[in-house]
């Protein structure tokens, strides 16, 4: 048992790795929630416990799981102890952990979570949905983050909150990036500021909507559906739609970084806006856009992001282009070749990559990551997405 504290409620609850699960006698989808991958973000854990207590087995089909993330960090109410568990899910790291005898705290947590994940996928029915619940150190309206596969976009569009694409291009090793590589629908949900009561309420609302949208809840009238929908919608009216990350201010280990007070996610900023002080130097925004996830806590290396809205025209265009797999043509260009066709990984000579706009690759579903001085490695979400698993679902 782990004792988890929430400041807004000033209460402690006891949880295990599996916070709760409900399995219906009627076959149906499998919906998996994670809370507290970051140990200081306890509102997801509280919300999951509350919702699972009140959902009746007779009102659902399929299976629901609620899972605790970093148990040791949750007990200590810290983001992490040795390493950030949500930057740890890379292929290399997982392979390395499997060969180790002595594990640090987060390596052990990862290993346990991986076992739970494998057993859920093995013993339950598709379609699978994975949702990771978080909060932020700054004030924010609730929002979704996702890896840019069309199945993720389509499922996410049902929720009345802004959707931010492309975070995986900046953050290595997020749990959801790993699950995305497996091809399943997976969304991150940030409900509000860490210790705000509203963060718990928003998590509760989002969990219920996810139960309804995935088809796990048989009849929407058995839950307070429209009230939960309205609750999230009212907070998000100013920023609905799709956003793309265009910039991240990365903090180095020896830096003395301080965000200036008063910024909240989705707040519009202009080029030149003073945002932070780092090593006594003033940091200004290099772009017009909106500020996103400014860092107001000690732990963490992502100072702030800048996001921009994506025009609906480009969203449609990318849907069409991905549908015809136009990326097969890309490898005909000089300097572009498959690094791994099955996993949808392209390799682009950096000299050539300069001639393609980044957004061109984004439209085709590729997200970039530099591997060395000469080549850019681009992964395509569509080629690994298990799209057929979801084709008969109502939302598709
Ligand atoms: Zn988090």
């Amino acid at each position: 048992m782990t004792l988890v504290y929430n400041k807004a409620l000033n209460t402690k609850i006891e949880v295990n790795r599996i916070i709760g699960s409900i399995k219906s006698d009627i076959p149906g989808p499998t919906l998996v929630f994670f809370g507290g991958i970051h140990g200081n973000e306890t509102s997801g854990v509280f919300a999951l416990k509350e919702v699972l207590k009140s959902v009746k087995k007779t009102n659902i089909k399929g299976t629901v799981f609620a899972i605790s993330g970093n148990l040791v960090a949750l007990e200590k109410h810290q983001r992490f102890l040795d390493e950030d568990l949500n930057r740890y899910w890379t292929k290399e790291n997982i392979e390395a952990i499997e060969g180790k005898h002595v594990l640090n705290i987060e390596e052990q947590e990862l290993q346990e979570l991986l076992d739970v994940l494998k057993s859920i996928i093995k013993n339950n029915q598709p379609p699978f949905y994975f949702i990771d619940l978080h909060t932020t150190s700054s004030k924010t309206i609730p929002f979704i983050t996702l890896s840019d596969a069309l199945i993720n976009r389509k499922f996410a569009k049902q929720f009345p909150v802004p959707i931010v694409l492309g975070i995986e291009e900046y953050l290595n090793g997020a749990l959801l990036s790993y699950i995305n590589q497996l091809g399943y629908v997976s969304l991150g949900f940030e409900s509000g500021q860490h210790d705000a009561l509203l963060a718990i309420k928003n998590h509760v609302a989002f969990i219920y909507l996810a139960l309804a949208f995935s088809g796990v809840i048989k009849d929407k009238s058995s839950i307070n559906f429209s009230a939960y929908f309205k609750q999230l919608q009212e907070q998000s009216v100013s920023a609905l739609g799709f956003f793309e990350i265009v910039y991240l201010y990365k903090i180095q280990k020896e830096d003395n970084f301080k965000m200036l007070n008063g910024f909240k996610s989705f707040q519009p900023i202009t080029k030149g806006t003073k945002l932070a002080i780092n090593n006594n130097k003033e940091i200004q925004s290099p772009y017009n856009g909106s500020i996103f996830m400014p860092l107001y806590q000690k732990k963490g290396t992502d100072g702030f992001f800048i996001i921009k809205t994506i025009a609906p025209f480009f969203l449609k265009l990318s849907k069409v282009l991905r549908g015809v797999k136009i990326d097969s043509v890309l490898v005909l260009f000089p300097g572009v070749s498959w690094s791994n066709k099955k996993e949808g990984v392209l390799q682009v000579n950096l000299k050539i990559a300069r001639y393609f706009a980044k957004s061109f690759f984004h439209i085709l579903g590729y997200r970039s990551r530099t591997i060395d001085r000469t080549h850019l490695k681009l992964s395509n979400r569509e080629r690994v997405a298990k799209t057929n698993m979801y084709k008969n679902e109502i939302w598709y």
Side-chain angles (χ1 to χ4, degrees), residues 36-41 79 84 86-87 132-136 189-190 194 293 297:
I37 291 286
H38 290 132
N40 59 329
E41 302 174 16
R79 186 177 167 91
D84 190 331
N86 210 31
R87 306 286 183 270
D132 192 13
L133 304 175
H134 287 258
T135 49
T136 64
F189 178 62
E190 306 267 356
H194 295 330
M293 297 218 278
Q297 63 192 6

Side-chain angles (χ1 to χ4, degrees), residues 25-174:
D25 300 328
I26 309 163
T30 303
L31 180 52
V32 183
F33 295 96
F34 298 93
I37 291 286
H38 290 132
N40 59 329
E41 302 174 16
T42 62
S43 73
V45 176
F46 276 70
L48 285 170
K49 186 139 187 174
E50 183 186 323
V51 175
L52 263 79
K53 222 167 44 191
S54 59
V55 169
K56 290 195 180 71
K57 189 178 151 179
T58 47
N59 285 339
I60 69 161
K61 56 181 185 182
T63 316
V64 189
F65 288 95
I67 298 166
S68 313
N70 195 335
L71 282 173
V72 179
L74 276 166
E75 177 108 55
K76 295 210 187 314
H77 206 81
Q78 285 182 27
R79 186 177 167 91
F80 58 84
L81 283 111
D82 294 322
E83 295 287 341
D84 190 331
L85 183 57
N86 210 31
R87 306 286 183 270
Y88 233 31
W89 294 80
T90 60
K91 240 183 186 171
E92 304 77 43
N93 213 2
I94 291 171
E95 274 167 21
I97 288 169
E98 276 160 5
K100 276 186 188 173
H101 294 295
V102 184
L103 301 179
N104 74 25
I105 284 167
E106 273 75 22
E107 286 170 339
Q108 208 163 337
E109 295 282 340
L110 184 145
Q111 181 127 71
E112 284 177 33
L113 283 167
L114 197 57
D115 289 343
V116 171
L117 193 62
K118 281 180 184 162
S119 124
I120 287 175
I121 292 170
K122 194 176 156 213
N123 299 313
N124 293 277
Q125 275 214 351
F128 289 95
Y129 299 86
F130 295 90
I131 291 172
D132 192 13
L133 304 175
H134 287 258
T135 49
T136 64
S137 62
S138 60
K139 278 192 182 158
T140 183
I141 55 176
F143 63 90
I144 289 172
T145 58
L146 51 81
S147 292
D148 189 15
L150 293 177
I151 48 170
N152 282 345
R153 271 199 215 172
K154 278 190 180 177
F155 184 69
K157 246 168 63 180
Q158 301 179 97
F159 297 86
V161 297
I163 297 161
V164 182
L165 306 181
I167 202 157
E168 79 275 20
E169 197 164 87
Y170 295 89
L171 309 181
N172 227 341

Side-chain angles (χ1 to χ4, degrees), residues 45 76 134 168 190 195 198 204 238 260 281 289 317 321 352:
V45 176
K76 295 210 187 314
H134 287 258
E168 79 275 20
E190 306 267 356
D195 298 325
L198 189 57
V204 168
S238 60
L260 296 181
K281 251 182 75 186
L317 176 68
L321 292 177
I352 302 293

